Amino acid sequence: MTGGKRTSGPDRVEVAAGRTVTIEVTTDAPDELHVHGYDRKADVTAGQPAAVTFTADIPGVFEVELHHSGAALTELRVTA
């Protein structure tokens, strides 16, 4: 993320239920990485990678965003 806009990465990530997922982001401003539905969060320091790792065990489509700015990063689609 640079200037509040995604500069790389997929629009959607698709995984089968039960898989381990790691979502990593680097931004130019401090924020909080947030995976909706799983309520996974990580503090983001400007210029430093931040990541969340979890087991994708809830089927559905979930927004992944920078919480404070509201910038969308991707969608996580978990299939049963």
Side-chain angles (χ1 to χ4, degrees):
M1 295 289 291
T2 302
K5 298 187 190 245
R6 190 179 72 202
T7 55
S8 66
D11 291 331
R12 179 179 280 181
V13 176
E14 297 191 29
V15 299
R19 299 291 306 263
T20 299
V21 174
T22 299
I23 298 173
E24 182 178 281
V25 64
T26 303
T27 69
D28 62 351
D31 210 311
E32 181 181 75
L33 172 62
H34 183 216
V35 181
H36 287 265
Y38 285 87
D39 202 28
R40 300 294 181 165
K41 301 175 184 176
D43 289 330
V44 179
T45 301
Q48 299 295 318
V52 292
T53 300
F54 57 95
T55 300
D57 55 1
I58 305 169
V61 178
F62 306 95
E63 183 178 345
V64 180
E65 70 170 1
L66 292 178
H67 193 69
H68 300 300
S69 70
L73 298 173
T74 192
E75 285 184 343
L76 173 64
R77 182 172 186 238
V78 180
T79 57

